[in-house]
């Protein structure tokens, strides 16, 4: 999914699962796909996971 701000900034994000939310934030130069295994793990245990770029 993509969110575009009024000043033109684009933010890509993914929301997976249901339940209490966890937000995964990568470091400089990272990307949201580095969290693939963690997303699978936590969603299978009843969490909603949010990742973004």
């Amino acid at each position: 999914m993509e969110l575009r701000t009024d000043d033109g900034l684009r933010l890509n994000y993914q929301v997976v699962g249901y339940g209490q939310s966890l937000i995964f934030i990568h470091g400089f130069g990272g990307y949201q796909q580095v969290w693939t295994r963690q997303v699978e793990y936590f969603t299978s245990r009843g969490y909603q996971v949010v990742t973004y770029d």
Side-chain angles (χ1 to χ4, degrees), residues 9-29:
L9 179 70
R10 294 182 331 181
L11 179 65
N12 293 304
Y13 67 96
Q14 178 182 32
V15 179
V16 182
Y18 300 94
Q20 185 176 358
S21 296
L22 299 173
I23 301 174
F24 288 21
I25 303 170
H26 59 72
F28 180 75

Side-chain angles (χ1 to χ4, degrees), residues 21-47:
S21 296
L22 299 173
I23 301 174
F24 288 21
I25 303 170
H26 59 72
F28 180 75
Y31 50 94
Q32 64 185 349
Q33 287 79 13
V34 301
W35 300 118
T36 300
R37 288 187 181 180
Q38 289 83 359
V39 170
E40 293 171 0
Y41 176 85
F42 284 103
T43 55
S44 71
R45 283 156 177 78
Y47 290 92

